[in-house]
Amino acid sequence: MTEFRNPDAVAKMRADFARQGAMSAMGISVADVVPGRVVLEMPFNPDFTQHHGFMHAGVITTAMDSACGFAAFTLMEEGAEVLTVEFKSTFMSPAAGDHFRFEGEIVKSGRTLTFTQGRAIAIKDGTEKTIAMLTATMMAVRGLT
Amino acid sequence: MTEFRNPDAVAKMRADFARQGAMSAMGISVADVVPGRVVLEMPFNPDFTQHHGFMHAGVITTAMDSACGFAAFTLMEEGAEVLTVEFKSTFMSPAAGDHFRFEGEIVKSGRTLTFTQGRAIAIKDGTEKTIAMLTATMMAVRGLT
Amino acid sequence: MTEFRNPDAVAKMRADFARQGAMSAMGISVADVVPGRVVLEMPFNPDFTQHHGFMHAGVITTAMDSACGFAAFTLMEEGAEVLTVEFKSTFMSPAAGDHFRFEGEIVKSGRTLTFTQGRAIAIKDGTEKTIAMLTATMMAVRGLT
Amino acid sequence: MTEFRNPDAVAKMRADFARQGAMSAMGISVADVVPGRVVLEMPFNPDFTQHHGFMHAGVITTAMDSACGFAAFTLMEEGAEVLTVEFKSTFMSPAAGDHFRFEGEIVKSGRTLTFTQGRAIAIKDGTEKTIAMLTATMMAVRGLT
C-alpha cells in the first residue's frame, strides 16, 4: 500500500486547501484524502454557471485540478510545494446535477513531475454520472513561499 | 476580412455573457469582440487565489475557456449554442499580476466543431507577460435551450 | 454488456486496420477486439526509435490513437467512418521494452463524438509497465470514402 | 534576438536528428533551424497512411513532436537531453497533400521545462493549409546517455 513520504502531508494539504480562496468562494470542500488520492465535493452553485444554467466548464475544471494537485501533493517530500504545469479537461456531458464529486489520483509520482488523472461526477436524485475527465501534470517546486 | 454569419451574434454573445454567473462572480468582463476573436479582462481577485496567493489555474482557465467559447460563437449560425468539448491549458508562469487579459480566437470554424486558441496575459506595473495558453474544441449545438 | 450496433463492425474494423499503411510499416497488429475496446501490440522496432534508442513518442502515440480510434469505431453505426479530432498523450516513462501493448477504450460513445482513453504498456523480461496514456476525441463522419 | 546557449546546439541537434530512426523511416528531413525554432518537411508517404489514404494522425504528430522537441533543444544548456513530457495534437483537416511542413517553436524556455507549440501545413498544388496544431511540454534531462 502507498504510504505518505511526509508524515505531515495531510495536515499540510488541508491547511493549504483552507488557504485556497477559490475553493471557499466556489463552495468546494474536502471529502476524502488518502495517499495519492483526494476527493472533493461541491453542491450545485448558481453563482458559477454558464449561460445555459449548467456549472461552468472552468469551475468543474478548477475542482478537478485542485483534487489532482492535492493528490500529487500527498506523496511529495517535505518542503515541496505543488504547481500545475498543464492539464486537459474533456467534457462528456453538461454539468447538470444537485451535487458534484471530484476525484483526483496519481498515475505516477516522480521527484520533479507527478502525473495525475481526475474525473467529475454529477449526482442528480441519487444517480451518478461521470461528466468530465482531466489529466494533469503537476510539478514539485521548492522555495516558493 | 472575416464577417459575422449571424448579424445578431455580438448582441447575443453579450447577452449570454451577462447570463454567465461564473463571469460576474469572478469579476471578468468583456473588453473587445470582433468576428472570431473575443478579449476578456479581470482585475486581480483575492477571492479566487490558490494557496500561494496567485490566481487559481482553474480561474485563469475559466476565463480563457469563456474567451474561446464566445469567439467560436461569433461565427456560428443563428440558432446555434456553443458548448466546450475539451481544452488543454498550459501554465508557463504563476498567475501574479494586478490585472489579467484573456484573448480567445478561432483557428478553424466548422459547422459542427470550431477549433480555438487562447492565452492569458498578466499585467503588473504596466508590464505584460503571457502566463498561460489554451487550445479548445467547441461544438455548435441546436435545441439546447 | 455493451453490444455492437453494426453486426459487421469487427470485420469492417479489421479490414480498415489492414488498409492502414502506418500500422504494417510500424509492425503493429491487432491483439483483441470487443465492443468498445481494442488492444494492439508491437514488438520493439529499431526503425522507429528516437535518438536515445527508445521508441519514438510519436510512434507510441500513433498506436494508442489507432487503438482508441478503432475502439470508437466498434460502436458506431453502419456507414460511419471515424476521424481523430484531437488527443493528448502523456509520457510517464521512456518507451523501453521488448514488446509493447496498446489498449484503447470508449469512455462515452455519442452519435457525433466519441470520447476515448488509451494507454501504452512496455513489457521487458515479462514485467509490465505503463509508459504512456492518451485521451482522444473521435468523430463519426459520413460520406468520407 | 534569441541566441544559442550552447554553441554546438545546431550540430548536436542535427546529429541527434540523424540518429532518430523514426525520422528516416518516415522520410522526414530538417528544412530549417534557428534558435528556438525548427522546421521539418516530409513528402506524402503512402507507407504511413490511415485507411482513407490520408497521412496517419500519429505520423503528423510524430513530426510536430520532433520539430518541437528539437526547437526546445536548441536553447538547452550543454549536456542536457530533451524528452517529451506530454503533448496535445488537434486535427483541423484530414492530412491530404503532396508535401507537408512541420514548424516547432518555443513559447517559453526554462531550466527544467520548455513549453512549445507546433503546426503542420499540407501543401497541395502550391496551396498551403494548416491541418494540425500541437502544444508540447519538453523536459531537459541530464545523464540520460
Side-chain angles (χ1 to χ4, degrees):
Chain A
M1 188 191 158
T2 309
E3 291 182 17
F4 294 112
R5 287 172 195 164
N6 172 6
D8 298 328
V10 172
K12 172 76 159 65
M13 191 231 105
R14 288 187 178 270
D16 283 350
F17 188 92
R19 287 194 293 142
Q20 283 212 350
M23 295 296 101
S24 58
M26 295 179 186
I28 302 169
S29 59
V30 179
D32 194 32
V33 184
V34 296
R37 188 168 190 272
V38 167
V39 181
L40 305 179
E41 56 189 4
M42 174 180 65
F44 177 80
N45 189 332
D47 290 345
F48 291 94
T49 51
Q50 40 84 283
H51 53 288
H52 308 112
F54 305 125
M55 295 301 302
H56 196 288
V59 172
I60 296 298
T61 299
T62 301
M64 291 193 291
D65 171 44
S66 281
C68 286
F70 285 121
F73 180 76
T74 62
L75 293 195
M76 285 184 182
E77 293 168 7
E78 202 177 337
E81 300 283 335
V82 60
L83 281 183
T84 301
V85 174
E86 60 75 36
F87 54 63
K88 178 190 163 190
S89 201
T90 307
F91 305 96
M92 277 89 77
S93 299
D98 311 319
H99 198 88
F100 299 88
R101 193 172 74 241
F102 308 97
E103 304 174 353
E105 64 183 18
I106 290 176
V107 177
K108 188 192 172 198
S109 171
R111 183 172 156 78
T112 304
L113 297 182
T114 296
F115 299 102
T116 62
Q117 62 185 9
R119 61 182 189 130
I121 297 115
I123 303 145
K124 193 170 185 175
D125 301 328
T127 303
E128 300 204 347
K129 183 179 188 177
T130 298
I131 55 168
M133 61 180 173
L134 177 126
T135 63
T137 307
M138 301 292 172
M139 189 173 194
V141 288
R142 285 164 179 82
L144 192 67
T145 51
Chain B
M1 189 191 157
T2 309
E3 291 183 17
F4 294 112
R5 287 173 196 163
N6 172 4
D8 297 328
V10 172
K12 173 77 159 65
M13 191 232 105
R14 288 187 177 270
D16 283 350
F17 188 92
R19 287 194 294 143
Q20 282 213 347
M23 295 298 101
S24 59
M26 295 178 185
I28 301 169
S29 58
V30 178
D32 194 33
V33 184
V34 296
R37 187 167 191 273
V38 167
V39 182
L40 305 179
E41 57 189 4
M42 174 180 65
F44 177 82
N45 188 334
D47 290 346
F48 292 95
T49 51
Q50 41 83 286
H51 53 288
H52 307 113
F54 306 126
M55 296 302 301
H56 197 288
V59 172
I60 296 298
T61 299
T62 301
M64 291 193 292
D65 172 45
S66 281
C68 285
F70 285 121
F73 180 76
T74 61
L75 293 196
M76 286 183 181
E77 293 168 6
E78 202 175 338
E81 299 283 334
V82 60
L83 281 183
T84 301
V85 173
E86 60 75 36
F87 53 64
K88 178 189 164 191
S89 200
T90 307
F91 305 96
M92 278 89 78
S93 299
D98 312 317
H99 198 88
F100 298 88
R101 193 172 73 242
F102 308 98
E103 303 174 352
E105 64 182 20
I106 291 175
V107 176
K108 188 192 171 196
S109 171
R111 181 172 159 77
T112 304
L113 298 182
T114 296
F115 299 103
T116 61
Q117 62 186 7
R119 61 183 188 130
I121 297 116
I123 302 145
K124 193 171 184 174
D125 301 328
T127 304
E128 302 204 347
K129 186 179 186 176
T130 298
I131 55 168
M133 59 180 174
L134 179 128
T135 62
T137 306
M138 302 293 171
M139 190 173 192
V141 289
R142 286 166 178 80
L144 191 67
T145 50
Chain C
M1 187 192 159
T2 309
E3 291 182 18
F4 294 112
R5 287 172 196 165
N6 172 5
D8 297 328
V10 172
K12 173 77 159 64
M13 191 231 106
R14 287 187 179 270
D16 283 350
F17 188 91
R19 287 194 294 143
Q20 283 213 349
M23 294 297 101
S24 59
M26 294 178 187
I28 301 169
S29 58
V30 178
D32 195 33
V33 184
V34 295
R37 188 168 190 273
V38 167
V39 182
L40 305 179
E41 56 189 3
M42 174 180 64
F44 177 80
N45 189 334
D47 290 346
F48 292 94
T49 51
Q50 40 84 284
H51 53 288
H52 308 112
F54 306 126
M55 295 302 302
H56 197 288
V59 172
I60 297 298
T61 299
T62 301
M64 292 194 292
D65 171 45
S66 281
C68 286
F70 285 120
F73 180 76
T74 62
L75 293 195
M76 286 183 181
E77 295 168 4
E78 202 176 336
E81 301 282 334
V82 61
L83 281 183
T84 302
V85 174
E86 60 75 36
F87 53 63
K88 179 191 163 189
S89 201
T90 307
F91 305 96
M92 278 88 78
S93 299
D98 311 319
H99 198 88
F100 299 88
R101 193 172 73 242
F102 308 99
E103 304 174 353
E105 64 182 21
I106 291 176
V107 177
K108 188 193 172 197
S109 172
R111 181 171 157 77
T112 303
L113 297 182
T114 296
F115 299 102
T116 62
Q117 62 186 8
R119 60 181 189 130
I121 297 115
I123 303 146
K124 194 172 184 173
D125 301 329
T127 304
E128 301 204 348
K129 184 179 187 177
T130 298
I131 56 167
M133 61 181 174
L134 178 127
T135 63
T137 307
M138 301 292 171
M139 189 172 193
V141 288
R142 285 164 179 81
L144 193 67
T145 50
Chain D
M1 187 191 160
T2 309
E3 291 182 16
F4 294 112
R5 286 171 198 167
N6 173 4
D8 297 329
V10 172
K12 173 80 159 63
M13 191 232 109
R14 288 187 178 268
D16 284 351
F17 188 91
R19 288 194 292 144
Q20 284 213 348
M23 295 298 100
S24 58
M26 295 178 186
I28 301 168
S29 59
V30 179
D32 194 32
V33 184
V34 296
R37 186 165 192 273
V38 167
V39 181
L40 305 179
E41 56 189 5
M42 176 179 64
F44 176 81
N45 188 333
D47 290 346
F48 292 95
T49 51
Q50 41 84 284
H51 53 289
H52 308 112
F54 306 126
M55 296 302 303
H56 197 288
V59 172
I60 296 298
T61 299
T62 301
M64 291 192 292
D65 171 45
S66 281
C68 286
F70 285 121
F73 181 75
T74 61
L75 293 196
M76 286 184 181
E77 293 169 7
E78 203 176 336
E81 300 282 335
V82 60
L83 281 182
T84 301
V85 174
E86 60 75 36
F87 53 63
K88 178 190 164 191
S89 201
T90 308
F91 305 97
M92 277 89 77
S93 300
D98 313 317
H99 198 89
F100 298 88
R101 194 172 72 241
F102 307 98
E103 303 174 353
E105 65 182 20
I106 291 175
V107 176
K108 189 193 170 195
S109 171
R111 181 171 158 78
T112 303
L113 297 181
T114 296
F115 299 103
T116 61
Q117 63 186 7
R119 60 181 189 132
I121 297 115
I123 302 145
K124 194 172 183 173
D125 302 329
T127 304
E128 303 204 346
K129 185 179 188 178
T130 298
I131 56 169
M133 60 180 173
L134 178 127
T135 63
T137 306
M138 302 292 170
M139 189 173 193
V141 289
R142 285 164 179 81
L144 192 67
T145 49

